[in-house]
Amino acid sequence: MPLGNGRLGMTPDGGISKEKIVLNDITLWSGGPQDANNYEAYKSLPKIRELILQGKNDEAQDLVNKDFVCKGLGSGGEKWGKYQVLGNLEIDFNYGNLKPDEITPEAYHRELSLDKAIANCSYKVDGVNYRREYFTSFSGDIDVIKITADKPGKLNCKISISRSEKSVVKTEGTELQMYGQLDNGTDGKGMQYQARVNTKLKGERLQ
């Protein structure tokens, strides 16, 4: 269920034992300033025009694909660089003495309210009702996940954040941070980024 505020986005999968939430930031792009122009491309233009006039459109297209391409180094195998996923936020849930293969959720339900721009996931495990709500704030420019249980002491989870490359994760006080620098296709010093995870607890303990 994708959610976003125009810049930040998240896609929760609604997992019971482990939830994986894909995080996005529209500005996260590899690559960098470069002259990617192909200054030899114009030499093929007369032949391309000739093929089109002869009705040989496939041959003309093949020539366009061969010669009308940029020459920049880009990054990630793409000439112009490419959009990058920010990373994954994972929440591992602990349901007491229950092992993962023993967890049998009841009344599992997921919903996306388009008019309220809120997604939710609810279910019952071992007599406890759990609920998660997800939304993104335009004014605060944050992704928000609210997790609740209807019995005290039954909400136990571990939160982690990661991405597959060019990332460092650390804790700063009670804040979880992930940061790094993307490739730019030339000297490796592309866009820098940082993602921060904060928790707000009510009647619980953070460790």
Side-chain angles (χ1 to χ4, degrees):
M1 292 184 175
L3 297 154
N5 67 358
R7 189 181 79 83
L8 296 178
M10 63 174 168
T11 308
D13 68 4
I16 302 298
S17 297
K18 174 182 287 189
E19 172 147 49
K20 179 179 178 181
I21 302 162
V22 179
L23 303 175
N24 293 282
D25 184 314
I26 197 172
T27 66
L28 207 60
W29 187 270
S30 66
Q34 59 175 304
D35 181 3
N37 290 323
N38 181 355
Y39 294 101
E40 300 296 314
Y42 77 95
K43 295 179 180 179
S44 299
L45 190 56
K47 183 61 177 180
I48 292 170
R49 288 172 173 165
E50 180 184 338
L51 291 170
I52 291 174
L53 291 174
Q54 294 174 0
K56 299 178 180 179
N57 293 343
D58 289 342
E59 293 182 33
Q61 185 62 56
D62 289 341
L63 198 54
V64 169
N65 294 341
K66 175 178 175 290
D67 293 339
F68 274 63
V69 293
C70 56
K71 295 297 186 180
L73 295 175
S75 70
E78 303 293 337
K79 296 294 185 181
W80 292 96
K82 59 182 179 181
Y83 169 75
Q84 298 280 330
V85 173
L86 176 58
N88 296 315
L89 180 71
E90 293 190 349
I91 307 175
D92 289 277
F93 292 92
N94 184 325
Y95 299 99
N97 296 324
L98 292 177
K99 298 177 181 178
D101 57 354
E102 296 174 336
I103 298 171
T104 53
E106 303 173 35
Y108 182 86
H109 179 76
R110 296 184 76 194
E111 183 178 287
L112 174 63
S113 172
L114 296 179
D115 57 341
K116 296 180 179 179
I118 296 177
N120 66 65
C121 170
S122 60
Y123 57 92
K124 179 185 285 188
V125 171
D126 201 23
V128 181
N129 292 298
Y130 296 90
R131 182 176 178 84
R132 305 175 207 155
E133 294 177 282
Y134 319 83
F135 65 92
T136 59
S137 168
F138 180 80
S139 59
D141 202 23
I142 57 173
D143 294 330
V144 179
I145 305 167
K146 182 181 179 181
I147 309 173
T148 58
D150 66 353
K151 293 184 180 180
K154 295 296 184 179
L155 187 56
N156 300 288
C157 61
K158 180 176 69 174
I159 302 172
S160 60
I161 189 172
S162 64
R163 75 185 309 270
S164 59
E165 62 174 5
K166 300 187 181 301
S167 66
V168 176
V169 177
K170 71 173 185 177
T171 54
E172 189 71 32
T174 60
E175 185 176 83
L176 187 61
Q177 298 181 357
M178 179 177 70
Y179 58 93
Q181 186 170 27
L182 302 181
D183 192 9
N184 62 356
T186 52
D187 59 5
K189 296 180 180 179
M191 176 182 173
Q192 299 182 63
Y193 70 90
Q194 183 186 59
R196 300 159 59 191
V197 182
N198 278 291
T199 56
K200 302 293 184 180
L201 304 178
K202 183 179 180 179
E204 298 289 346
R205 180 167 53 94
L206 176 65
Q207 62 183 24

